[in-house]
Amino acid sequence: MKTLPAQDVIYAFSNKHEPILRAAAGDTVKIDTFDCFKNQIQSSDQEVATIDWDQVNPATGPIFIEGAEIGDVLKVVIKDLEIGDQGVMVTGPKLGVMGHRMTAMESKIIPIQNGKAVFSERLQLPLNPMIGVIGVAPEGEPVSCGTPGSHGGNMDTKLITKGATLYFPVAVDGALFALGDFHAAMGDGEISVSGIEVPGSATVQFDVIKGGRLKHPLLENEEGLAFLVSAMTLDEAVSTAVEEMIDLLLTQSDLSVSEMTMLMSAAGEAQISQVVDPLVTARFFVPRHVLDGLNFHLFS
């Protein structure tokens, strides 16, 4: 198994980056990461304003995937996800949903102990280790690691965890994959602008699906399938995710557009991922039993 230390990071997904590692289809790589503040906040007494904000949201990479060409799909299986023993949260003026009521930047150190996030003496939260930033290089201009898009990026989706498989549209040869911004736990929306930010490591396995031709990232797990779409508004993100899913399912179904729409309205789920980044992210999820009932097989 190949390894990639956290010292090699990017702050934007770009087709101009030189890869720091090459991997082939079938390879497994263990990737170490900083937290989203590059481990700069180690104490609640530390002034948040003193950190270097140019070093926020580092992603480890990029990795050149041999055989991945424009128009293909990069398959990424998250085999394992490990997190550090201390997390941090931040909020403040003009940040997140409640920033208009904040008067100063504030941070909170959250120990990770006995499988729980210790928010306070009375509140110990269950862990949901997940990856906030994950994706490939876009075709055009660089995209900050703090911004999500059709390339992936800062989608902050709590389904991106151990056992999930992600599929990314390849826009440049080699894909140039990177990831970072782990959370020990995060609720849908990430309303304060941060989850419980932690360093960690992810073990991922790559594959290349020739000619898959996705427009947006797709996530598969034991429970079902979801399109992840980022846009200026939730309305736009949800509408696009719904339509992409219906179009995908119709490729293997004799249902009409009307019937598939009714099925998705009865059994599909429009879900919010995050509402605090430069673009918001929503997902449309279809349960496994519906996929089985449709006899749908992804990329068959």
Side-chain angles (χ1 to χ4, degrees), residues 37 40-41 46-56 90:
F37 302 109
Q40 294 181 86
I41 303 174
Q46 183 177 346
E47 290 285 342
V48 180
T50 64
I51 72 171
D52 184 350
W53 287 91
D54 290 332
Q55 296 190 56
V56 169
V90 165

Side-chain angles (χ1 to χ4, degrees), residues 82-287:
E82 303 171 54
I83 59 171
D85 58 7
Q86 176 174 284
V88 61
M89 298 191 77
V90 165
T91 195
K94 299 181 180 179
L95 295 178
V97 175
M98 296 296 291
H100 62 289
R101 292 173 58 176
M102 308 290 175
T103 58
M105 293 291 295
E106 187 173 341
S107 66
K108 183 177 181 68
I109 297 296
I110 300 178
I112 310 299
Q113 298 175 353
N114 301 317
K116 300 282 187 179
V118 183
F119 192 84
S120 68
E121 290 185 4
R122 298 185 62 181
L123 278 172
Q124 297 190 18
L125 308 178
L127 301 181
N128 174 35
M130 52 156 288
I131 301 171
V133 172
I134 183 169
V136 296
E139 178 182 12
E141 294 298 312
V143 179
S144 165
C145 288
T147 301
S150 59
H151 68 292
N154 196 21
M155 298 183 291
D156 284 324
T157 297
K158 68 182 186 182
L159 302 185
I160 304 176
T161 188
K162 180 180 178 179
T165 299
L166 285 101
Y167 302 88
F168 296 98
V170 176
V172 300
D173 288 345
L176 297 181
F177 173 85
L179 59 72
D181 184 32
F182 290 9
H183 302 141
M186 190 197 82
D188 281 335
E190 198 188 26
I191 60 105
S192 82
V193 87
S194 73
I196 301 178
E197 309 290 340
V198 286
S201 63
T203 302
V204 299
Q205 185 176 41
F206 299 108
D207 200 359
V208 177
I209 300 170
K210 303 305 290 185
R213 298 198 176 279
L214 287 176
K215 296 180 183 177
H216 297 274
L218 187 64
L219 181 146
E220 185 177 26
N221 59 23
E222 290 184 356
E223 287 73 41
L225 189 66
F227 263 109
L228 313 180
V229 175
S230 302
M232 289 299 297
T233 68
L234 279 175
D235 286 351
E236 182 183 353
V238 169
S239 295
T240 301
V242 168
E243 191 160 6
E244 289 293 315
M245 182 63 75
I246 286 175
D247 284 344
L248 178 65
L249 297 180
L250 285 173
T251 62
Q252 298 182 34
S253 174
D254 58 1
L255 294 181
S256 68
V257 173
S258 296
E259 289 176 310
M260 187 64 78
T261 300
M262 287 187 280
L263 177 61
M264 292 300 100
S265 189
E269 300 177 22
Q271 302 170 339
I272 294 172
S273 290
Q274 59 80 25
V275 295
V276 294
D277 294 333
L279 299 179
V280 298
T281 305
R283 59 188 187 266
F284 189 72
F285 179 84
V286 179

Side-chain angles (χ1 to χ4, degrees), residues 252 290-297:
Q252 298 182 34
V290 175
L291 300 172
D292 291 344
L294 290 169
N295 196 29
F296 179 82
H297 301 282

